Amino acid sequence: MSKFDRIHLVVLDSVGIGAAPDANNFQNAGVPDGASDTLGHISKAVGLDVPNMAKIGLGNIPRPQALKTVPAEANPSGYFTKLEEVSLGKDTMTGHWEIMGLNITEPFDTFWNGFPEEILIKIEEFSGRKVIREANKPYSGTAVIDDFGPRQMETGELIIYTSADPVLQIAAHEEIIPLEELYKICEYARSITMERPALLGRVIARPYLGQPGNFTRTSNRHDYAVAPFEDTVLNKLDQAGINTYAVGKINDIFNGSGINHDMGHNKSNSHGIDTLITTMGLAEFEKGFSFTNLVDFDALYGHRRDAFGYRDCLHEFDQRLPEIIAAMRDNDLLLITADHGNDPTYAGTDHTREYIPLLAYSPSFTGNGLIPQGHFADISATIAENFGVDTAMIGESFLSQLQ
């Protein structure tokens, strides 16, 4: 019998809580030049007021005294800890896949100097469009369309760029390169990046609209991921006939594997929270697991190194947290975590290798306290034990500690 009828996992994309011990092994990941700390440095730089997460125990997570930027609660309403990553990576897919129980020992390929010419030529031959070579390097998604959008509007060339993550991104003005065409090109790009020397985690369609000097990316983004190489806890739940609901880009991250209810993409964090609350209210969702990703922290503010915007985005989530809690049933469990860091005060525009916070809350709790520090996959091991399914590759359950 399940301890909790429903578990809701919310990933605040990139909301790390301090440099991991091995951060200096990852390029531009937080060490040296001052250890990265997404939450701590936002608070120090521009202030942070998140009373609802603090109430659960965010400020009670053990941290160096100088970085205790969220007040500790004398009697928090939930359980709390920070988790360390085992896998070799600091990207979205690696983080989410490990949360669901996988250990990624061979990282995906990244292209700090841009993609090989052979990849670009194949895409040109398939699409009948030229690729803008000058854009072929790690680039901010907004800067690349500012720099090359006017040229694309004149020539119809493709804007292909990457980041410090294992992704190939194609930006296209929707009035110049129609969505259907963009998606077909991305599907082809996905088909030729499934093995080394170009094994990528995702190919991402990045459509935008507007005029030079005023371009805006639209919500028609689409991610083309590879399926996990081994069953995750999502698969174990699905195979056991347990409902799994995906909100936001979760379905893309897992390539649909193990997900039996895709609730669609988010237009914004607020829209994603609306979708989660709607999902929680479904009459048929009596038992099972919901998995939500809120990406604005990362995509709109972390990569753009906008500490003020990141702070405001955290405030927005915190202000809406009571609505999520109000939608919970008595025997629900809410888990709030992250997938990596993206310290907006750190140099560069890339993810930072950090611990992630974990907050656990249920209306049924009679206790509170610190969960011993563990690893990302402990989340899925806890979910697996609750629903009576096998764990995946790694993870130790903390279910017994939630009282």
Side-chain angles (χ1 to χ4, degrees), residues 109-111 115-116 118-119 192-200:
D109 294 319
T110 53
F111 292 90
F115 297 104
E118 63 187 85
I119 295 290
I192 61 171
T193 54
M194 297 291 287
E195 58 185 28
R196 301 196 193 283
L199 173 59
L200 297 177

Side-chain angles (χ1 to χ4, degrees), residues 224-241:
Y224 299 84
V226 291
F229 57 85
E230 190 167 314
D231 280 355
T232 69
V233 168
L234 276 170
N235 298 108
K236 310 286 188 182
L237 295 172
D238 181 43
Q239 292 159 9

Side-chain angles (χ1 to χ4, degrees), residues 1-4 6-7 9 79 81 83 98-101 233 237 288-289 333-335 358-360 365 371-372 374-392 394-403:
M1 182 176 178
S2 302
K3 186 170 186 175
F4 300 100
R6 309 192 305 176
I7 297 179
L9 174 59
Y79 293 83
T81 191
L83 302 174
E98 183 174 323
I99 287 170
M100 283 294 107
V233 168
L237 295 172
F289 173 58
L333 172 66
L334 173 65
L335 301 173
L358 176 67
L359 302 177
F365 282 169
I371 300 168
H375 299 96
F376 286 21
D378 294 356
I379 294 172
S380 61
T382 301
I383 295 164
E385 183 183 1
N386 182 76
F387 291 113
V389 302
D390 291 337
T391 57
I394 56 174
E396 299 292 333
S397 173
F398 52 81
L399 186 67
S400 64
Q401 298 172 57
L402 305 179
Q403 303 294 330

Side-chain angles (χ1 to χ4, degrees), residues 119-133 152 155-160 170 176-178 181-182 184-186 188-189:
I119 295 290
L120 304 184
I121 291 173
K122 286 180 179 180
I123 294 174
E124 287 179 332
E125 291 175 346
F126 173 83
S127 67
R129 293 180 180 273
K130 292 294 185 181
V131 172
I132 300 175
R133 294 304 194 275
Q152 183 178 72
T155 67
E157 294 171 287
L158 294 173
I159 300 172
I160 294 180
I170 304 180
I176 305 300
I177 303 174
E181 180 183 354
L182 172 62
K184 286 181 178 178
I185 296 170
C186 287
Y188 174 75

Side-chain angles (χ1 to χ4, degrees), residues 165-370:
D165 297 325
V167 297
L168 182 151
Q169 305 190 64
I170 304 180
H173 196 293
E174 292 185 11
E175 295 175 353
I176 305 300
I177 303 174
L179 283 174
E180 183 177 353
E181 180 183 354
L182 172 62
Y183 293 160
K184 286 181 178 178
I185 296 170
C186 287
E187 288 171 3
Y188 174 75
R190 171 73 282 176
S191 73
I192 61 171
T193 54
M194 297 291 287
E195 58 185 28
R196 301 196 193 283
L199 173 59
L200 297 177
R202 287 177 293 162
V203 172
I204 306 177
R206 287 287 198 175
Y208 65 97
L209 286 170
Q211 297 298 318
N214 191 31
F215 291 128
T216 303
R217 295 196 292 190
T218 74
S219 61
N220 292 317
R221 163 182 171 159
H222 190 79
D223 293 39
Y224 299 84
V226 291
F229 57 85
E230 190 167 314
D231 280 355
T232 69
V233 168
L234 276 170
N235 298 108
K236 310 286 188 182
L237 295 172
D238 181 43
Q239 292 159 9
I242 295 169
N243 287 324
T244 57
Y245 292 85
V247 177
K249 67 177 184 177
I250 294 297
N251 191 66
D252 290 338
I253 292 169
F254 291 89
N255 202 29
S257 184
I259 294 163
N260 48 52
H261 296 82
D262 179 17
M263 305 306 291
H265 290 164
N266 298 336
K267 297 177 181 177
S268 64
N269 276 5
S270 186
H271 177 251
I273 293 168
D274 290 341
T275 302
L276 170 60
I277 292 171
T278 297
T279 301
M280 295 168 74
L282 294 173
E284 61 269 27
F285 187 11
E286 296 181 356
K287 181 179 179 179
F289 173 58
S290 75
F291 196 174
T292 299
N293 174 280
L294 301 177
V295 74
D296 287 359
F297 306 104
D298 188 51
L300 299 184
Y301 307 111
H303 286 299
R304 299 181 189 181
R305 293 301 186 248
D306 180 355
F308 288 95
Y310 206 129
R311 175 203 62 192
D312 293 346
C313 198
L314 285 163
H315 288 176
E316 177 190 44
F317 172 77
D318 193 75
Q319 289 161 9
R320 297 207 62 189
L321 181 54
E323 295 178 55
I324 298 173
I325 291 174
M328 296 176 70
R329 299 173 189 171
D330 289 344
N331 209 33
D332 281 7
L333 172 66
L334 173 65
L335 301 173
I336 301 172
T337 191
D339 55 341
H340 51 74
N342 200 344
D343 185 344
T345 73
Y346 188 71
T349 61
D350 305 321
H351 294 160
T352 43
R353 173 88 169 181
E354 297 187 38
Y355 290 103
I356 58 172
L358 176 67
L359 302 177
Y361 172 79
S362 174
S364 67
F365 282 169
T366 57
N368 60 34
L370 176 67

